[in-house]
């Protein structure tokens, strides 16, 4: 019988077990070994019995049910990616699908002829849960906090060190740090001068330091390191921009270019601030209110 | 489909060493529209726009527009959760099929 645990609960269960067996210093996690051992003990007859990597261009990984005559489930993944961190995250992600989704979807997800859109949105949800599981398993917050205090001023080297420790990509480590830092920080991933996506820490989001990428493309400021791609400037150490470049305040920008994936990773660090006064709700009736109240 | 419209435009534009501005200029589009085409998933442009972009990039419009279905093939989709299923090409699917078929007995 399987209890319907969520992604975090599963990850924490396994972390507790790892802490018991190996102690708190058990990083990076050997996902394949743990997935096999853990599932063999906990779900005998329905365990993960295969984990095989191959050169599979355009593919990250998938979870398969064993064919007739064999038992259990298998993870097939692309092991030709240059980034070990990405491979490790994929393995944990597929392990997450196994724990979270195999019971609900005993026959996998089938894509009917008219089902593309709905299938895609369900797909989005289960992908998100599997990512949440992978991040929590590979980078437990208690350990991350011991590496980088929630109040610490960071630089990319500090976060790179954690990416190494947990064997994840730099972006995965930054996203994890953003979950708990009390500092105002914004991650911006851009390509060809426009923002692909962005994520802000809670303190940054509360003060309006965010980029909303769901609408029209947002161009990155021409004065930024991300836009200049000036290899003579040490983008890792960062530079301090005055107000008016990224935001209406000083910002420390650190940028690295990922040639391999053709995108630019930028960390924006802002000073602590309670709120943006200009974003406080306007008590006066504004033009829009007046317009709508007249209708 | 193996490669999306956006990925194809992006790759061909880089090969031709054209900036976003330049490709925009040559096809009467804004720089940000070209970027959106390459990186987001806006509604498919008009046939005329595709034809102009294709001409500048030195390919046919058919080459840019995908005609194949955006779904994994049925023999592979069963019992599987996919990541990036859209990007799977036939040889990759075939390799995966083989791995699953050869599910080792030593893995029992």
């Amino acid at each position: 019988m399987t209890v319907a645990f969520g992604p975090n609960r599963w990850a924490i269960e396994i972390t507790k077990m790892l802490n018991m067996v190996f102690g708190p210093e058990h990083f990076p996690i050997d996902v394949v070994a743990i997935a096999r051992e853990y599932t063999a003990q906990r779900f005998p007859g329905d365990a993960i019995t295969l984990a095989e990597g191959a050169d599979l261009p355009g593919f990250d990984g998938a979870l398969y049910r064993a064919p007739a005559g064999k038992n259990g489930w298998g993870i097939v993944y692309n092991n030709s990616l240059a980034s070990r961190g990405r491979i490790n995250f994929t393995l944990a992600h597929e392990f997450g699908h196994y724990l979270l989704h195999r019971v609900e979807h005993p026959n996998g997800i089938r894509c009917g002829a008219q089902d593309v859109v709905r299938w895609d949105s369900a797909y989005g949800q289960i992908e998100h849960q599997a990512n949440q599981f992978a991040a929590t398993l590979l980078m437990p917050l208690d350990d991350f906090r011991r590496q980088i205090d929630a109040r610490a001023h960071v630089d990319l080297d500090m976060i790179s060190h954690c990416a190494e420790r947990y064997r994840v990509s730099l972006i995965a480590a930054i996203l994890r740090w953003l979950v708990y830092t009390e500092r105002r920080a914004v991650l911006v991933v851009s390509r060809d001068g426009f923002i692909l996506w962005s994520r802000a820490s809670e303190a940054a989001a509360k003060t309006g330091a965010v980029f909303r990428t769901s609408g029209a493309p947002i161009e990155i400021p021409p004065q930024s390191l991300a836009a200049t791609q000036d290899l003579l400037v040490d983008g890792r150490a960062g530079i301090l921009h005055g107000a008016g470049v990224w935001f209406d305040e000083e910002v420390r920008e650190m940028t690295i270019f990922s040639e391999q994936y053709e995108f630019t990773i930028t960390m924006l660090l802002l000073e602590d601030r309670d709120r943006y006064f200009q974003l406080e709700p306007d008590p006066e009736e504004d033009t829009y209110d007046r317009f709508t109240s007249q209708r | 489909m193996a490669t999306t419209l956006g990925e194809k435009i992006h790759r061909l534009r880089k090969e031709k060493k054209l900036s976003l501005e330049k490709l925009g200029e040559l096809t009467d589009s804004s720089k940000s529209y070209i970027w959106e085409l390459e990186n987001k998933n806006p509604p498919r442009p008009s046939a005329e726009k595709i034809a102009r972009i294709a001409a500048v990039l030195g390919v046919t419009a058919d080459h840019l527009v995908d005609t194949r279905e955006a779904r994994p093939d049925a023999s592979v989709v069963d019992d599987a959760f996919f990541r990036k299923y859209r990007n799977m090409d036939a040889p990759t699917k075939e390799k995966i099929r083989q791995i699953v078929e050869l599910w080792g007995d030593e893995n029992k």
Side-chain angles (χ1 to χ4, degrees):
Chain A
M1 193 202 113
T2 305
V3 190
F5 284 174
N8 291 340
R9 180 66 192 276
W10 270 121
I12 289 164
E13 285 288 308
I14 295 168
T15 302
K16 278 190 207 153
M17 188 269 296
L18 293 173
N19 282 337
M20 245 165 19
V21 178
F22 301 107
E25 283 295 318
H26 58 253
F27 301 102
I29 288 174
D30 182 344
V31 178
V32 167
I34 288 161
R36 281 175 178 271
E37 280 294 308
Y38 185 81
T39 63
Q41 290 188 23
R42 184 141 183 176
F43 305 106
D46 195 34
I48 291 178
T49 55
L50 173 101
E52 190 157 330
D55 180 12
L56 301 166
F59 179 76
D60 281 349
L63 178 74
Y64 288 85
R65 183 185 268 284
K70 312 270 167 64
N71 70 52
W73 297 77
I75 294 171
V76 179
Y77 62 99
N78 183 359
N79 64 6
S80 65
L81 298 173
S83 161
R84 285 194 316 164
R86 271 190 59 181
I87 293 172
N88 208 34
F89 200 91
T90 295
L91 291 169
H93 175 107
E94 302 309 334
F95 184 21
H97 277 320
Y98 167 89
L99 292 169
L100 294 159
H101 305 127
R102 79 183 188 291
V103 175
E104 270 172 75
H105 305 278
N107 300 308
I109 292 173
R110 284 165 216 262
C111 191
Q114 296 94 28
D115 245 13
V116 178
V117 175
R118 272 185 297 150
W119 187 80
D120 208 39
S121 69
Y123 175 84
Q125 260 185 33
I126 67 169
E127 287 302 284
H128 175 75
Q129 289 177 347
N131 284 339
Q132 182 67 35
F133 169 82
T136 310
L137 177 71
L138 298 174
M139 301 173 277
L141 284 186
D142 58 341
D143 189 79
F144 214 134
R145 283 197 172 96
R146 283 194 290 273
Q147 308 303 313
I148 302 179
D149 186 85
R151 296 286 306 152
H153 288 281
V154 302
D155 56 41
L156 282 179
D157 285 339
M158 287 165 75
I159 298 185
S160 294
H161 159 81
C162 291
E164 283 285 310
R165 175 177 179 79
Y166 303 124
R167 198 175 294 161
V168 297
S169 67
L170 178 62
I171 287 185
I174 294 174
L175 286 172
R176 195 67 175 145
W177 172 76
L178 284 173
V179 166
Y180 75 87
T181 182
E182 290 165 20
R183 295 288 175 192
R184 297 171 68 228
V186 184
L187 167 67
V188 175
V189 178
S190 62
R191 187 189 217 188
D192 292 329
F194 289 87
I195 299 178
L196 281 171
W197 56 273
S198 168
R199 186 78 64 83
S201 68
E202 193 188 340
K206 271 187 178 166
T207 51
V210 291
F211 297 101
R212 301 196 193 285
T213 51
S214 51
I218 304 171
E219 200 160 4
I220 54 176
Q223 309 94 309
S224 66
L225 286 178
T228 52
Q229 303 213 358
D230 187 344
L231 299 175
L232 297 175
V233 179
D234 184 1
R236 261 179 186 271
I239 62 167
L240 192 65
H241 293 291
V245 176
W246 283 97
F247 294 109
D248 281 339
E249 61 180 300
E250 275 192 350
V251 171
R252 175 163 290 282
E253 174 190 351
M254 290 170 255
T255 284
I256 61 170
F257 302 101
S258 170
E259 243 175 77
Q260 190 188 348
Y261 299 112
E262 291 190 81
F263 54 63
T264 300
I265 302 167
T266 299
M267 278 270 281
L268 302 175
L269 304 175
L270 298 89
E271 284 305 311
D272 292 348
R273 178 187 279 199
D274 285 340
R275 57 179 173 255
Y276 271 3
F277 293 103
Q278 59 268 43
L279 286 185
E280 286 293 284
D282 189 349
E284 300 287 313
E285 191 184 47
D286 66 17
T287 322
Y288 181 73
D289 290 331
R290 228 172 291 138
F291 176 72
T292 51
S293 65
Q294 283 164 4
R295 290 172 63 108
Chain B
M1 62 182 128
T3 321
T4 64
L5 171 68
E7 285 166 32
K8 283 182 199 162
I9 296 176
H10 179 80
R11 200 189 62 237
L12 291 164
R13 179 175 65 77
K14 295 274 169 172
E15 278 170 21
K16 295 243 163 206
K17 303 208 188 312
L18 292 172
S19 63
L20 288 171
E21 286 94 331
K22 194 67 191 168
L23 181 57
E25 206 181 296
L26 293 171
T27 58
D28 272 336
S29 320
S30 69
K31 165 183 166 184
S32 67
Y33 181 67
I34 299 288
W35 185 86
E36 239 181 325
L37 272 184
E38 290 183 2
N39 296 286
K40 300 278 170 173
N41 203 9
R44 178 178 285 183
S46 67
E48 195 209 333
K49 183 68 91 186
I50 297 224
R52 294 193 63 176
I53 293 172
V56 171
L57 296 176
V59 295
T60 62
D62 283 351
H63 176 87
L64 284 187
V65 180
D66 292 289
T67 49
R68 277 171 293 166
E69 289 289 328
R71 278 179 282 136
D73 88 25
S75 64
V76 184
V77 74
D78 280 355
D79 306 334
F81 300 110
F82 279 95
R83 302 187 65 194
K84 299 209 163 184
Y85 68 98
R86 285 189 188 84
N87 292 328
M88 295 237 285
D89 56 13
T92 298
K93 283 181 195 162
E94 178 55 25
K95 265 192 223 166
I96 293 171
R97 199 186 57 76
Q98 283 175 9
I99 291 173
V100 173
E101 244 170 38
L102 296 172
W103 206 285
D105 290 322
E106 77 273 19
N107 288 314
K108 220 23 204 155

